[in-house]
């Protein structure tokens, strides 16, 4: 589904990713772990089409297409979704309007008819239960004045409504208490299908107790320095990142 | 820049003027004053950011009498879908009864054209007309007072609540080319009366003309007056507008000014909080592009104690448009416990648009709370990315964020039909023709 090959990217003059290669197949859950500043969030944002980074070499193909050739909205219309680490507040636009606009634009891109507000509300109300959100949240401005946990749940709600093929969760666990973490993880698990894939970007192993990865990759200094199964996450939890960094000679 | 051509026009019209004898005297005094003042220049502090040279260097003539060809269909998009409102339509300055609508008003309320009111309510006019608007200091007000042709007079007696808005529609079509229009509106809401006035200025065809309008509002004790001004003049038109309200104790006056038309416009919204516990709310939104110039000046005079004023003006500027906001607040030594707040926020959609924002506070009382703030910003890249990452196109994302910027001030509109109408207008304006 997603094939990243020798990806190099920089922000301004500063190289951040220094040769990332990664294969994600349908039905898989990949975890990307690593210390702060390792480039994990950059990788997540580049997949979604963040304009602040420049890919200097390498490629990303998604379902056989050159992903880097597509605008952010085209990627989303083809099923790529990024749950933001810091969801953006948009005062003046209600959650309901925002969700419906996104849902309809994606439908339009697929040549499907748009749904009206009433139909859409039925659809959303079902998804709200998945993340244990109060329907009143639909009529509040997008993320404006939401708590950290509410923002993260709102990201998963968007994911549930838009039903992506490839979901990238960028530090979705940061700032969540254990109950919120469980709700978010349950939401993600409920959306898992043999036809879609999930990439979980996280610093801590904690989230991976709830979302069980098939593959774990450790990113440091802009490179993947170790890949393994879910047991690698436990090893990191027990030993920290240092034991991997030192022999590889890459500082964070 | 000569005022002589206007003096000539004035002299030529003198013989045609009808009305009670105090009226020619008022007109003459105003004409004399205009001749002394001349058109304002940018050396005048109140006009520092707005040059009226394009107006002053032309001579706009009184409109020629012509049969109106404006249809209700042409007008319909400007009526907020609320065609049951009491409506007075003026085409190129002339009252058009066929396009007007006299919906059920309480029997005690009088709404008449200025021409009719001069016959039927001369005592009201001699008391009120020209008493609030300051022709002695303001050149355009002087010019309007000298030339005012027709307009509307509204009187709501004590304790009467007018439920539906009264909509005054000033339409210009190609028949207004080269002309000056001088609408005049007078509103008196007595003790505990309630009324909402909507003034629309609409240009249907491409034409260069000048609208120079003046509105005076007397808001009685405990009265509630809503005042919506919608400026959608032709793109080559010039527009100068001044409203002056005076508020008695515990009255509420809410003025909202929307501007999206005209090559060069200046809107003055003034209110005097003259009785204790009065509240004035002045809000506005201007959406400009191309080479439009749009200037708003507000003036809140806190004369009495315990009054509150709230001002929120927002501007959305594209192309090489130039917006101006000058918010003046005066707090009299007697006006203790004044609570004033003023904000002006601007969204620049292009690198060449420009805003001059100037708060101006003169405070002579010591126990007051007065704040002001101004911001200028652009659409945030991260917000655009957030929307696009959800599949929303670049054009829609810009429109949505632009609309979101305006939403805060549009929410202050208390008439649902106007709020919904302007929301749609803002959204549509920035959905089309914005580079992706």
């Amino acid at each position: 589904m997603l094939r990243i090959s020798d990806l190099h990217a920089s922000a301004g003059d500063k190289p951040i990713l220094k040769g990332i290669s990664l294969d994600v197949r349908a039905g898989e859950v990949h975890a990307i772990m690593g210390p702060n500043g390792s480039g994990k969030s950059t990788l997540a944002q580049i997949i979604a089409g963040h304009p602040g980074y420049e890919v200097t070499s390498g490629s990303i193909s998604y379902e056989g297409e050159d992903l880097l050739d597509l605008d952010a909205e085209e990627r989303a219309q083809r099923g790529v979704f990024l749950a933001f680490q810091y969801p953006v507040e948009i005062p003046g636009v209600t959650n309901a309007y925002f969700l419906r606009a996104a849902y309809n634009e994606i439908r339009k891109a697929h040549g499907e008819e748009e749904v009206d507000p009433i139909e859409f509300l039925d659809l959303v109300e079902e998804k709200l239960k998945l993340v244990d959100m109060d329907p009143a949240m639909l009529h509040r401005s997008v993320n404006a004045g939401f708590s950290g946990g509410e923002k993260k749940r709102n990201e998963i709600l968007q994911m549930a409504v838009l039903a992506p093929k490839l979901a990238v969760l960028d530090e979705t666990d940061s700032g969540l208490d254990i109950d919120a973490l469980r709700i978010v993880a349950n939401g993600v698990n409920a959306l898992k299908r043999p036809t879609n894939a999930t990439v979980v970007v996280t610093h801590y192993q904690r989230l991976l107790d709830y979302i069980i990865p098939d593959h774990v990759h450790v990113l440091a200094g802009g490179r993947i320095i170790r890949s393994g199964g879910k047991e690698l996450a436990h090893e990191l939890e027990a030993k920290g990142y240092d034991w991997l960094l030192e022999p590889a000679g890459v500082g964070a | 820049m000569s005022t002589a051509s206007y003096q000539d026009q004035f002299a030529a019209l003198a013989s045609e003027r009808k009305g009670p004898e105090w009226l020619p005297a008022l007109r003459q005094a105003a004409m004399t004053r205009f001749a002394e003042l001349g058109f304002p220049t940018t050396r005048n502090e109140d006009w520092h950011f707005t040059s009226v040279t394009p107006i002053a260097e032309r001579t706009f003539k009184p409109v020629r009498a012509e049969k109106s060809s404006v249809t209700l269909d042409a007008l319909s998009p400007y009526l907020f879908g609320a065609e049951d409102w009491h409506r007075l339509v003026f085409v190129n300055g002339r009252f058009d009864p066929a396009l007007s609508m006299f919906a059920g008003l309480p029997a005690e309320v009088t709404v008449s054209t200025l021409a009719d009111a001069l016959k039927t309510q001369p005592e009201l006019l001699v008391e009120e007309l020209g008493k609030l608007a300051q022709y002695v200091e303001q050149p355009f007000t002087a010019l309007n007072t000298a030339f005012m042709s027709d307009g509307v007079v509204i009187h709501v007696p004590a304790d009467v609540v007018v439920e539906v808005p009264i909509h005054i529609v000033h339409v210009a079509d190609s028949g207004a080319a080269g002309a000056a229009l001088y609408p005049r509106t007078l509103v008196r809401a007595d003790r505990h009366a309630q009324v909402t006035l909507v003034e629309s200025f609409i240009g249907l065809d491409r034409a260069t003309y000048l609208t120079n309008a003046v509105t005076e509002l007397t808001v009685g004790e405990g009265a509630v007056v809503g005042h919506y001004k919608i400026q959608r003049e032709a793109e080559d038109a010039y527009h100068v507008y001044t409203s002056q309200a005076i508020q008695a104790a515990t009255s509420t006056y809410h003025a909202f000014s929307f501007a999206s038309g005209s090559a060069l416009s200046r809107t003055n919204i003034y209110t005097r909080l003259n009785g204790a516990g009065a509240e004035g709310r002045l809000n506005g939104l201007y959406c400009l592009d191309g080479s439009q110039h749009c200037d708003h000046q507000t003036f809140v005079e806190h004369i009495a104690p315990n009054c509150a004023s709230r001002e929120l003006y927002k501007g959305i500027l594209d192309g090489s448009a130039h917006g101006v906001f000058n918010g003046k607040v005066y707090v009299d030594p007697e006006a203790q416990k004044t609570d004033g707040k003023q904000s002006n926020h601007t969204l620049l959609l292009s690198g060449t648009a420009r805003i001059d924002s100037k708060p101006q506070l003169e405070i002579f009382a010591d126990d007051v709370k007065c704040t002001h703030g101004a911001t200028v910003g652009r659409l945030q890249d991260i917000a655009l990315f957030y929307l696009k990452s959800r599949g929303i196109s670049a054009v829609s994302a810009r429109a949505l964020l632009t609309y979101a910027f305006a939403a805060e001030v549009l929410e202050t509109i208390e008439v649902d039909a106007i709020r919904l109408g302007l929301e749609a207008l803002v959204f549509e304006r920035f959905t089309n023709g914005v580079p992706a």
Side-chain angles (χ1 to χ4, degrees):
Chain A
M1 175 180 280
L2 182 76
R3 169 163 291 177
I4 301 174
S5 308
D6 195 26
L7 188 74
H8 289 71
S10 52
D13 289 339
K14 195 177 164 228
I16 298 179
L17 301 185
K18 299 167 186 168
I20 303 262
S21 294
L22 183 69
D23 269 324
V24 179
R25 290 179 201 83
E28 292 181 341
V29 175
H30 287 245
I32 296 178
M33 302 184 69
N36 291 330
S38 58
K40 348 182 257 302
S41 281
T42 299
L43 178 62
Q45 292 182 318
I46 285 174
I47 293 171
H50 193 291
Y53 301 99
E54 195 196 342
V55 173
T56 48
S57 69
S59 66
I60 305 180
S61 90
Y62 167 74
E63 303 234 288
E65 271 193 285
D66 181 355
L67 192 71
L68 298 175
D69 243 12
L70 302 174
D71 290 331
E73 62 268 35
E74 293 171 320
R75 298 181 196 193
Q77 289 160 5
R78 283 163 174 74
V80 176
F81 181 89
L82 172 67
F84 278 50
Q85 183 179 4
Y86 304 108
V88 179
E89 299 191 7
I90 309 176
V93 177
T94 64
N95 238 347
Y97 186 92
F98 170 56
L99 279 168
R100 188 164 61 87
Y103 185 75
N104 276 334
E105 285 225 33
I106 291 176
R107 284 183 69 93
K108 219 162 57 184
H110 290 245
E112 294 163 348
E113 282 208 15
E114 299 186 21
V115 299
D116 65 41
I118 311 287
E119 265 179 90
F120 185 70
L121 218 54
D122 286 346
L123 184 146
V124 173
E125 273 176 6
E126 192 191 316
K127 309 291 183 192
L128 280 167
K129 291 179 201 142
L130 197 67
V131 285
D132 196 24
M133 254 169 86
D134 184 347
M137 303 285 275
L138 289 176
H139 305 291
R140 285 173 56 187
S141 287
V142 179
N143 295 325
F146 284 27
S147 70
E150 286 172 336
K151 283 181 181 171
K152 295 299 172 80
R153 273 192 265 174
N154 206 23
E155 293 292 289
I156 305 305
L157 174 67
Q158 291 169 32
M159 179 177 154
V161 169
L162 301 180
K165 283 188 204 152
L166 173 67
V168 181
L169 312 180
D170 186 7
E171 306 264 5
T172 296
D173 51 337
S174 68
L176 293 187
D177 62 30
I178 197 71
D179 291 330
L181 188 72
R182 198 175 291 131
I183 291 167
V184 163
N186 287 344
V188 172
N189 288 331
L191 296 167
K192 209 177 145 185
R193 302 278 179 280
T195 49
N196 61 26
T198 311
V199 175
V200 180
V201 173
T202 182
H203 183 87
Y204 301 102
Q205 185 268 339
R206 186 169 81 130
L207 181 64
L208 305 179
D209 285 342
Y210 300 95
I211 303 174
I212 311 295
D214 302 301
H215 302 275
V216 175
H217 312 276
V218 180
L219 198 64
R223 292 187 187 92
I224 291 178
I225 56 167
R226 179 73 68 99
S227 293
K230 63 179 180 238
E231 64 289 343
L232 179 56
H234 293 285
E235 213 172 341
L236 286 168
E237 181 72 0
K239 300 187 190 169
Y241 288 106
D242 289 347
W243 66 281
L244 279 175
L245 298 179
E246 280 157 14
V250 276
Chain B
M1 287 154 215
S2 167
T3 59
S5 57
Y6 289 93
Q7 289 173 274
D8 294 345
Q9 287 177 26
F10 187 79
L13 283 169
S15 58
E16 296 174 29
R17 299 278 194 210
K18 297 182 189 78
E21 61 192 38
W22 55 268
L23 189 55
L26 174 65
R27 289 185 189 280
Q28 182 61 60
M31 190 64 230
T32 304
R33 190 59 189 150
F34 176 71
E36 289 163 7
L37 292 168
F39 285 102
T41 71
T42 50
R43 288 189 301 276
N44 179 333
E45 202 190 351
D46 283 345
W47 294 84
H48 185 65
F49 299 107
T50 297
S51 165
V52 298
T53 305
I55 297 172
E57 70 188 9
R58 288 176 169 83
T59 298
F60 294 99
K61 301 196 174 70
V63 76
R64 282 170 296 135
E66 254 180 62
K67 207 170 151 13
S68 155
S69 58
V70 173
T71 63
L72 199 54
D73 276 351
L75 218 51
S76 171
Y78 301 92
L79 301 179
F80 298 104
E83 299 184 12
D84 59 330
W85 291 353
H86 196 93
R87 178 175 75 237
L88 296 98
V89 178
F90 294 80
V91 178
N92 301 334
R94 273 163 217 284
F95 181 58
D96 188 328
L99 295 175
S100 300
M101 243 279 294
F102 302 95
L105 290 177
E108 309 90 326
V109 176
T110 58
V111 177
S112 22
T113 64
L114 181 58
D116 284 343
L118 284 167
K119 293 172 213 151
T120 57
Q121 298 162 282
E123 59 294 330
L124 177 75
L125 292 186
V126 74
E127 240 174 74
E128 308 272 357
L129 193 67
K131 293 294 165 24
L132 295 179
Q134 298 296 311
Y135 70 81
V136 175
E137 293 153 31
Q138 301 161 4
F140 283 98
T141 302
L143 202 55
N144 173 285
T145 305
F147 285 95
M148 55 188 170
S149 48
D150 208 349
V152 177
V153 177
I154 298 170
H155 179 214
V156 186
D159 300 314
V160 175
V161 175
V162 185
E163 302 278 355
V164 295
I166 298 170
H167 195 183
I168 304 173
V169 186
H170 297 285
V171 196
D173 67 3
S174 55
L181 309 171
Y182 300 101
R184 185 84 177 204
T185 303
L186 186 68
V187 177
R188 193 170 107 186
D190 289 338
R191 194 169 181 272
H192 294 148
Q194 294 189 19
V195 65
T196 297
L197 168 71
V198 184
E199 293 183 278
S200 287
F201 296 88
I202 296 157
L204 291 179
D205 300 325
R206 239 193 126 138
T208 302
Y209 58 88
L210 168 67
T211 296
N212 176 7
V214 173
T215 297
E216 298 172 285
L217 308 104
T218 301
V219 186
E221 187 187 333
V224 179
V225 173
H227 180 197
Y228 295 87
K229 186 215 167 200
I230 314 293
Q231 190 268 99
R232 299 167 73 182
E233 298 272 25
E235 59 183 291
D236 298 324
Y238 301 101
H239 177 95
V240 180
Y241 172 98
T242 301
S243 69
Q244 174 73 61
I246 185 164
Q247 298 185 238
T250 67
S251 65
T252 302
Y253 172 63
H254 178 207
F256 189 98
S257 172
F258 175 82
S260 69
S262 183
L264 166 60
S265 70
R266 166 66 176 251
T267 299
N268 302 314
I269 306 285
Y270 302 149
T271 189
R272 187 180 305 144
L273 300 159
N274 212 38
E279 184 189 346
R281 276 180 278 149
L282 311 184
N283 300 319
L285 174 67
Y286 35 99
C287 301
L288 313 175
D289 58 22
S291 57
Q292 285 183 294
H293 179 105
C294 174
D295 180 351
H296 275 87
Q297 185 181 64
T298 62
F299 187 28
V300 180
E301 289 175 276
H302 280 270
I303 302 297
N306 291 304
C307 291
S309 61
R310 289 286 176 275
E311 280 188 78
L312 174 62
Y313 270 81
K314 286 198 167 191
I316 302 169
L317 277 54
D318 205 349
S320 54
H322 184 187
V324 180
F325 176 77
N326 175 208
K328 304 210 292 183
V329 177
Y330 167 83
V331 181
D332 192 85
E334 298 298 313
Q336 298 296 355
K337 305 280 181 199
T338 284
D339 177 5
K341 187 174 180 208
Q342 179 189 96
S343 312
N344 175 226
H345 303 297
T346 305
L347 176 63
L348 298 177
L349 293 178
S350 77
T352 44
R354 182 179 145 198
I355 177 78
D356 287 292
S357 181
K358 184 186 172 195
Q360 213 177 320
L361 274 56
E362 286 186 90
I363 301 171
F364 297 99
D366 46 24
D367 184 12
V368 303
K369 196 167 74 187
C370 277
T371 63
H372 66 86
T375 61
V376 181
R378 296 177 191 282
L379 292 180
Q380 282 184 294
D381 286 340
I382 186 67
L384 283 169
F385 173 55
Y386 190 59
L387 296 180
K388 290 198 283 184
S389 79
R390 299 304 181 243
I392 295 173
S393 71
V395 170
S396 298
R398 284 174 66 94
L400 197 56
L401 291 176
T402 304
Y403 161 79
F405 172 82
E408 179 191 12
V409 71
L410 291 172
E411 276 163 17
T412 67
I413 296 176
E414 287 163 340
V415 179
D416 289 346
I418 298 179
R419 192 183 62 248
L420 295 171
L422 292 186
E423 279 174 357
L425 193 71
V426 170
F427 198 80
E428 280 158 25
R429 179 166 177 136
F430 294 101
T431 310
N432 300 314
V434 177

